[in-house]
Amino acid sequence: MLRLVGLCVALVALFSAPAYADKATTFTLDNGMQVVVIEDHRAPVVVHMVWYRAGSADEPAGKSGIAHFLEHLMFKGTDAYPAGELSRIVEANGGSDNAFTTWDYTAYFQRVAADRLDLMMALEADRMTGLQLTEADVVTERQVILEERSQRTDNDPGALFAEQRQAAQYLNSRYGVPIIGWRAEMEGLTRDDALAWYRRYYAPNNAILVVAGDVLPDQVRELAQQYYGPLKANPALTPRQRPQEPPQLGERRLTLSDARVSQPYVMRTYLAPERDPGDQSRAAALTYLAKLLGGDGATSVLGEKLVFDTNTAVYAGSYYSGMSIDDTTFGLIVVPAEGVSLQQAEDAMDAAVAEFLETGVDQTRFDSLKMQLRAANIYADDNIQGLAQRYGAALASGFSIEDIEAWPQVLENVTPQDVMDAARDILDRRNAVTGWLMRADPSEVTQ
């Protein structure tokens, strides 16, 4: 009894306590660069991130991989800081740095002691407009990204399967093109291609600076004006215009056979709406749907039915990530148990989904999930890098600060009826791609 009382007290404290980090402060420099400051004074550490509103889905046809290629080339140096010097300086000051590219944005970041923030701004501002590239740099780094593709995609049947599914899902949207690029197009990327991309998108009026940690807004404003303020905006920058996906008229199916596959599985992805600025309710309902269908082992619909009740699968799950600019996907996956064919696994998945659509959301399970999501949002505030990434990714995708900070309440407002409405709308096989990953010999798919 005392243990139960203690748990209740802990939960009350958790959900009544203020978030670790203060709400974000934002302002815009005269050159159009948006700056976001997230205060967290528990440790003398700061995360400094620069986000560009340019990802692989913004690439022109025939130049796939250029966004990611330039991310690599951005470490080649400037007149002030030669190749490798930026990362060396960050490391010498006790910090770490890296970068990443997605379909919707490219980001560069450093995590250092708070008193080194001005140095990080000096480094990042310098390479925003001062990048120097030689032909040798391009040749060397092009070989690096080709080797990266070999290791992470070409030598991994699961990655190849994901790439092919994505291409089947999107016939017109650039989301159907791999972020790293198609090998044949990567091989043809040039110095001129990289510089054209750089000059078009790497400008302060296309960038978002996010600083999270032991800082004050006025301090960050002064430093941002000192280092980023003098950079000139790109007046030729135009709003994003991307090819849109036409309506899907029927289910698409594919199989990929590969001798390296150790565990066959079935996967289905449905075209689904993304989180929209100002209207996040449908995305919130889909977030619950993914958790209810396949979120947590025995407590999820697919886990209970396929893994525990019938022993049809060794794993069953679902996912949804609404943070994208254009339509995203809602996915289901089933890894069959030994002796169960992929067809049997798919049939069992369909039966479990159909039963869910018929019986609806279990209220007890829904209430538990709502508590879990509420806790997850609170715990997320305990990670300053996670906070910086949450704000940066959303802002680079077109969201406002108000949208970001409203998201927990939007989740809180979701009802079981909202979830079922979203499920009946999304789980339509005419709007899906169903794929089987199997061993090279089709007769072995029951293994």
Side-chain angles (χ1 to χ4, degrees), residues 129-377:
T129 57
L131 181 65
Q132 298 294 317
L133 294 179
T134 67
E135 287 292 348
D137 291 332
V138 171
V139 170
T140 300
E141 211 59 38
R142 187 170 56 218
Q143 191 56 45
V144 169
I145 62 170
L146 287 167
E147 182 60 27
E148 183 179 340
R149 180 178 170 92
S150 295
Q151 293 181 359
R152 296 187 179 182
T153 304
D154 298 336
N155 290 331
D156 182 349
L160 288 172
F161 182 49
E163 186 176 82
Q164 292 297 305
R165 284 197 330 272
Q166 193 79 7
Q169 186 84 68
Y170 295 99
L171 300 184
N172 197 47
S173 167
R174 294 292 291 180
Y175 286 170
V177 178
I179 294 168
I180 197 168
W182 300 116
R183 175 173 288 275
E185 294 180 356
M186 295 167 67
E187 291 172 341
L189 295 176
T190 67
R191 178 175 178 270
D192 286 345
D193 293 330
L195 289 175
W197 182 265
Y198 176 68
R199 289 165 182 156
R200 178 175 182 181
Y201 290 112
Y202 282 54
N205 54 322
N206 198 44
I208 302 156
L209 169 64
V210 180
V211 179
D214 190 20
V215 292
L216 295 172
D218 287 346
Q219 169 199 4
V220 175
R221 184 192 297 270
E222 181 179 345
L223 291 174
Q225 288 175 337
Q226 177 182 349
Y227 291 105
Y228 292 106
L231 303 180
K232 293 183 179 180
N234 177 8
L237 194 65
T238 57
R240 280 170 151 172
Q241 292 183 339
R242 293 166 157 187
Q244 296 299 298
E245 193 64 17
Q248 185 173 335
L249 303 179
E251 182 184 11
R252 300 167 192 155
R253 299 187 65 89
L254 76 149
T255 60
L256 179 65
S257 299
D258 193 306
R260 299 168 295 181
V261 173
S262 59
Q263 178 62 70
Y265 59 86
V266 180
M267 192 161 189
R268 179 179 299 141
T269 53
Y270 303 84
L271 204 61
E274 74 282 3
R275 272 173 67 182
D276 288 322
D279 182 10
Q280 305 179 85
S281 57
R282 177 51 61 96
L286 289 171
T287 299
Y288 276 92
L289 179 62
K291 296 288 187 182
L292 288 166
L293 282 180
D296 183 25
T299 65
S300 70
V301 171
L302 293 177
E304 179 183 359
K305 298 293 184 184
L306 276 60
V307 178
F308 293 94
D309 288 356
T310 65
N311 297 319
T312 301
V314 294
Y315 173 79
S318 62
Y319 69 89
Y320 169 74
S321 178
M323 184 57 68
S324 65
I325 293 176
D326 299 314
D327 281 349
T328 185
T329 54
F330 184 99
L332 306 174
I333 181 171
V334 176
V335 181
E338 185 175 357
V340 177
S341 71
L342 291 177
Q343 186 62 64
Q344 290 169 328
E346 183 180 340
D347 292 343
M349 177 182 74
D350 287 337
V353 170
E355 182 178 345
F356 172 78
L357 291 173
E358 180 67 26
T359 59
V361 174
D362 178 86
Q363 187 66 50
T364 301
R365 183 177 285 166
F366 181 80
D367 292 341
S368 175
L369 177 57
K370 182 165 282 194
M371 179 70 78
Q372 293 171 30
L373 289 175
R374 192 181 305 151
N377 280 319

Side-chain angles (χ1 to χ4, degrees), residues 374-409:
R374 192 181 305 151
N377 280 319
I378 293 173
Y379 290 134
D381 286 348
D382 195 29
N383 182 330
I384 61 169
Q385 184 146 342
L387 275 170
Q389 291 191 214
R390 186 198 313 171
Y391 276 83
L395 292 167
S397 301
F399 290 81
S400 67
I401 295 291
E402 292 73 23
D403 290 323
I404 300 165
E405 294 179 348
W407 177 241
Q409 187 59 51

Side-chain angles (χ1 to χ4, degrees), residues 100-111:
F100 54 88
T101 304
T102 74
W103 279 291
D104 294 324
Y105 46 76
T106 308
Y108 302 82
F109 66 91
Q110 300 87 30
R111 181 185 175 97

Side-chain angles (χ1 to χ4, degrees), residues 20 28 54 90 105 215 420:
Y20 287 110
T28 302
V90 173
Y105 46 76
V215 292
M420 294 311 301

